[in-house]
Amino acid sequence: RSLVGSERCIRDGNHFVKGNCCWIDGKGIIMAAATDIGIDLGTASILVYIRGKGVVLKEPSVVAFDRDTNKIKAIGEDARLMLGRTPGNIVAVRPLRQGVISDYTVTEKMLKHFIQKALGRKTFRKPRIAVCVPSGVTEVEKKAVEDATYQAGAREVSIIEEPIAAAIGAGIDISRPCGNMIVDIGGGTSDIAVISLGGTVVSASIKIAGDDFDEALVRYMRKKHNLLIGERTAEDIKIKIGSAYKRPEPDYMDVRGRNLVTGLPKTVKVSSEETEEALREPTLQIVEAIHSVLERTPPELAADIADRGIVLTGGGSLLRGLEELISDKTGINTMTAEDPMTAVAIGTGKYVEFLVGYKDEI
């Protein structure tokens, strides 16, 4: 045994193995050991999980670039603040739409930026990365994610479906012969799956999620109050007073936007009851998708779900009253995971650890 850096490593010939600090190659050069990373590549935000450290980064998946020079100006939170506020030559875009890559080059640069930022140091050895994708993606879309991750600096890439990652992250033992229903509501897609023995038995992926809640609120404000609001304002309404089910006491919020009649700035007082009306269509579409998956579920697994309940994950599951709405419409107890925002990222990271352990055993 020999001490290299700050950790104790086990020597095997000219190499040091088993230890996250470093190893020495045949020429006696100290090098940093590889890192295992799990990435929740979401439409609204990107989360990075590092083995042994947990979720180390959570930023919006937004990129701002200069159209004249084609250079990137900002990535993540800095770029999100520019949404709707940029001059003509600077464009703030979301390179992922409804869970899949819509702009390959920008996604690759964004991934590279976030991987380097999460690691916080230069690594000589490329990391092993697991990335999650919606359950309904095509092989072509899956290949695009894989290629972009390799280009961003991965040594090995594993693709995992979001419901599986969400179940692992929510603390469910998916290896047992027992039915578990996971509903992962992200920014661009909602994934519904019945999982048993480590695999998906029945699943559905619909392109209705958090972004559609925002769009529904924008449409409602335009129709009901003649007020034009941006997506950032709509997101604020959703977070502060958004509701999917009738509440005992309504909440209120002042919303600022542009009056479509006069063209001047205007402030309107909006209640949580109005948001319930605005969000009725997208929330009921999610409930219908859950219902269709339950209809296709084998009877033994359906009995397990009736007993164990439905688990919600993803940022969209934080919409108040969604648990009650699903319980009311399906008659099955519904609960939200302890930390729904990071469940998929944690599950993706733990999947990497599982694969590493599995390979070590072989």
Side-chain angles (χ1 to χ4, degrees), residues 36-101:
D36 296 318
I37 297 175
I39 298 176
D40 175 8
L41 194 64
T43 306
S45 56
I46 286 184
L47 287 88
V48 179
Y49 175 100
I50 290 183
R51 187 183 178 193
K53 291 183 182 176
V55 176
V56 295
L57 184 140
K58 179 187 177 294
E59 292 220 23
S61 45
V62 183
V63 177
F65 66 93
D66 193 323
R67 266 202 296 218
D68 298 342
T69 61
N70 214 21
K71 284 186 179 174
I72 287 175
K73 287 281 184 187
I75 297 176
E77 186 57 41
D78 295 337
R80 190 187 79 90
L81 295 171
M82 295 181 186
L83 280 173
R85 290 177 170 157
T86 55
N89 63 314
I90 295 172
V91 187
V93 295
R94 292 183 184 273
L96 294 146
R97 281 280 162 201
Q98 295 181 321
V100 294
I101 293 173

Side-chain angles (χ1 to χ4, degrees), residues 221-287:
M221 294 302 290
R222 184 188 288 151
K223 189 178 173 183
K224 184 82 183 282
H225 297 286
N226 279 327
L227 191 74
L228 187 66
I229 60 169
E231 62 178 80
R232 277 193 62 202
T233 306
E235 193 177 14
D236 283 344
I237 297 168
K238 177 181 74 179
I239 291 165
K240 288 174 184 170
I241 62 164
S243 182
Y245 201 73
K246 193 166 179 67
R247 302 177 64 190
E249 291 280 325
D251 284 337
Y252 296 90
M253 176 184 170
D254 287 334
V255 178
R256 293 176 183 83
R258 192 178 84 225
N259 190 320
L260 286 166
V261 180
T262 65
L264 298 171
K266 180 186 173 186
T267 303
V268 171
K269 195 172 190 177
V270 179
S271 72
S272 56
E273 288 174 344
E274 287 182 278
T275 66
E276 187 206 328
E277 189 185 332
L279 297 170
R280 190 167 294 145
E281 191 185 333
T283 51
L284 285 178
Q285 281 179 294
I286 291 171
V287 172

Side-chain angles (χ1 to χ4, degrees), residues 18-33:
K18 294 212 174 168
N20 286 331
C21 54
C22 48
W23 77 89
I24 295 180
D25 69 359
K27 295 173 185 175
I29 299 167
I30 296 177
M31 304 178 79

Side-chain angles (χ1 to χ4, degrees), residues 41-42 46 60-63 72 75-76 93 95-96 105-115 152:
L41 194 64
I46 286 184
S61 45
V62 183
V63 177
I72 287 175
I75 297 176
V93 295
L96 294 146
T105 312
V106 176
T107 302
E108 183 199 309
K109 287 178 180 173
M110 182 175 73
L111 267 173
K112 194 175 282 184
H113 170 82
F114 286 135
I115 290 165

